[in-house]
Amino acid sequence: MDEKQDLLDMTYDELIKALTQLGYPAFRAKQVYQWLYAGQLDFEGMTNLPKEMREKLSACFYAGGLKVANRLVSSVDGTRKYLFELKDGNIIESVLMKYEYGYSVCLSTQVGCRMGCAFCASSPLGLVRSLTVGEMLGQVLSISHDIGERISHVVLMGIGEPFDNYDNVIAFMRRLNREDTLNISFRKMTVSTCGIVPKILSFAQEDIPVNLAISLHAPTDEVRTKTMPVARKWPMDELLAACNAYARTTSRRVTYEYSLIKDVNDFPEYAEILAKKLKGTLCHVNLIPVNTVEGTTFDKSTRSRIEAFKQILEKHHITVTVRRELGSDIMAACGQLRRNTLVESGKV
Ligand code: SAH
C-alpha cells in the first residue's frame, strides 16, 4: 500500500505539522507551500530546499499525484484538454479556455458520475469515486504550471456532480480563495449542479459568493425527467425555490443552463413556459446547442429554433446568452468529458 500523503490535501497548518514532525523548521514548510501554489508540484524543482530535504519529501509525500497522460490542443480556438492520470490509475479530464479576461479551467470533481443524464458523456460508466481536495487543486496547478500563466477563473463543470462531493468541493474553493494560495475571488468561481436541492440550500449558507449554475434543460418535470433522473427526486418547483433562496441570500444571479436538443426540449412553447417560471427572479439563461456524444442519438437544434427560443426569453425580459462552443474538435465541449482509460487516451 502507498503510505505517502498528499501535501496538496493539507491545509497550511497541517503541512507545517507534517514537516515539523519530520524535524523541519516552519520556514521550510512555508517554502514548500509557496512552491506548491506556484504550480511546482515536483519536489525536485523546489530549488531553494536542500537536496536531502527534497529526497525526504519525495519519500514521504506527493503533491496532487496527477500525471499528464495526454494533452490535446484545439486547432480552432486554442482550447486545451488535459487527461490526467491519478495516483490510483484512474483518468480524469480538465479543460483550459482562454478568454479576453484571462484563463479559465473547467475541472472535474469526480471520477465518473452517478447522475445518469442521458445526453452527457460522463454518465454511461457511472461513478468510481469522488476527487480529493488535492486532486482538484492538482488540476488547476498543473495546468497553470504547464502554460506558465496564472489561472483567473475556475468552473466546476467537468466530469462529476460537484454537490455529490460537497465537502471537498467547498474546501477546495475556500483554499483557492486564500491570499497565500491562488487568491482567486469567489466571484470568479462557478459551480454547476444538476439540481441536488438540499445541497443548494446548504450552499446558500456557506457565505461564499460563488456563481451557481443549474443544469435545467427543460421547462417542466415532464420534459426534464425524460433525460435527467435527478428530476424525479427533486421536482422543478423545489429546485427553483432553492435557487431563488440562493439568489436572495447571496445577491448573485443564478445561471440556468439549457442545452437545446432537437425536438426534445427546444419548442417555442417550452420557452414560454420557462420564461413564466423564471420571470422576476435574479437569473440568467445560458443556451447551449447540445454537443454530440458517442452512443447517444440527440441532435443539435437548428439555428432558427435556437434563435426563436432566445427571442422568446428576451421578449419576457430574461437575460439570455448562447454559449460559445469551445474545444468541440477535441471533444472538450460541454458534456463531452468522460471517464477514460489509458488505452483510450493513447498511452498504452
Ligand atoms: N454535473 C454538473 C456539472 C457538469 S457541468 C451538472 O450537471 O451541472 C456540464 C454542463 O454540460 C451541464 O450543464 C450538463 O448538463 C451539460 N451537458 C451535458 N452533456 C451535454 C451535451 N451533450 N451537450 C451540451 N451540454 C451538455
Side-chain angles (χ1 to χ4, degrees), residues 9-288:
D9 223 26
M10 299 179 190
T11 61
Y12 185 41
D13 290 343
E14 286 165 349
L15 188 142
I16 292 184
K17 202 169 153 212
L19 295 195
T20 43
Q21 270 170 4
L22 289 180
Y24 295 110
F27 84 94
R28 288 291 183 208
K30 187 168 181 183
Q31 286 176 316
V32 171
Y33 193 75
Q34 284 168 341
W35 276 118
L36 293 177
Y37 290 97
Q40 181 56 261
L41 303 182
D42 181 358
F43 302 125
E44 251 331 283
M46 300 185 174
T47 47
N48 58 357
L49 305 181
K51 190 167 184 297
E52 155 284 313
M53 180 174 177
R54 283 181 266 155
E55 283 166 7
K56 184 81 179 166
L57 289 178
S58 300
C60 303
F61 304 105
Y62 61 96
L66 277 65
K67 275 197 294 215
V68 179
N70 207 351
R71 191 197 286 108
L72 300 166
V73 183
S74 162
S75 54
V76 182
D77 52 46
T79 295
R80 288 168 169 232
K81 179 162 88 170
Y82 289 82
L83 277 78
F84 289 111
E85 183 183 350
L86 306 177
K87 214 118 210 321
D88 62 4
N90 277 303
I91 300 257
I92 51 158
E93 303 187 334
S94 328
V95 179
L96 173 80
M97 292 158 291
K98 187 174 186 205
Y99 294 100
E100 302 93 68
Y101 53 72
Y103 285 96
S104 177
V105 167
C106 173
L107 62 106
S108 293
T109 54
Q110 296 184 308
V111 179
C113 185
R114 58 172 163 168
M115 296 298 135
C117 300
F119 42 75
C120 184
S122 305
S123 298
L125 298 171
L127 177 72
V128 178
R129 67 174 175 87
S130 284
L131 297 186
T132 62
V133 174
E135 287 167 333
M136 287 187 266
L137 284 168
Q139 296 172 62
V140 182
L141 293 169
S142 304
I143 293 177
S144 173
H145 190 66
D146 186 53
I147 59 166
E149 299 276 354
R150 180 175 187 271
I151 304 299
S152 62
H153 291 66
V154 164
V155 298
L156 283 73
M157 295 192 179
I159 302 166
E161 166 50 48
F163 284 173
D164 192 31
N165 185 15
Y166 186 85
D167 292 345
N168 286 348
V169 158
I170 300 293
F172 161 73
M173 294 194 292
R174 289 191 190 281
R175 183 89 65 81
L176 268 191
N177 173 250
R178 284 175 61 109
E179 250 172 50
D180 61 3
T181 64
L182 292 195
N183 199 11
I184 300 179
S185 108
F186 287 121
R187 288 164 200 279
K188 294 183 176 174
M189 301 180 199
T190 302
V191 59
S192 179
T193 174
C194 63
I196 301 186
V197 169
K199 297 294 194 263
I200 295 171
L201 295 171
S202 312
F203 193 48
Q205 303 307 317
E206 296 284 349
D207 202 24
I208 50 175
V210 169
N211 301 303
L212 177 66
I214 304 291
S215 298
L216 197 61
H217 308 317
T220 59
D221 286 320
E222 196 202 336
V223 180
R224 204 162 183 255
T225 47
K226 284 186 187 157
T227 54
M228 300 182 73
V230 70
R232 275 178 227 286
K233 195 145 184 193
W234 292 288
M236 235 174 109
D237 54 352
E238 283 181 33
L239 175 59
L240 295 181
C243 293
N244 292 336
Y246 185 82
R248 272 196 306 276
T249 316
T250 61
S251 302
R252 311 225 22 99
R253 66 179 190 182
V254 172
T255 297
Y256 293 101
E257 296 160 280
Y258 198 115
S259 298
L260 287 161
I261 311 174
K262 190 178 176 188
D263 296 333
V264 173
N265 64 359
D266 66 347
F267 304 107
E269 53 272 34
Y270 286 3
E272 293 283 352
I273 301 172
L274 183 65
K276 283 201 187 71
K277 291 193 179 174
L278 298 184
K279 212 166 190 161
T281 68
L282 201 52
C283 74
H284 172 94
V285 174
N286 197 204
L287 299 175
I288 313 166

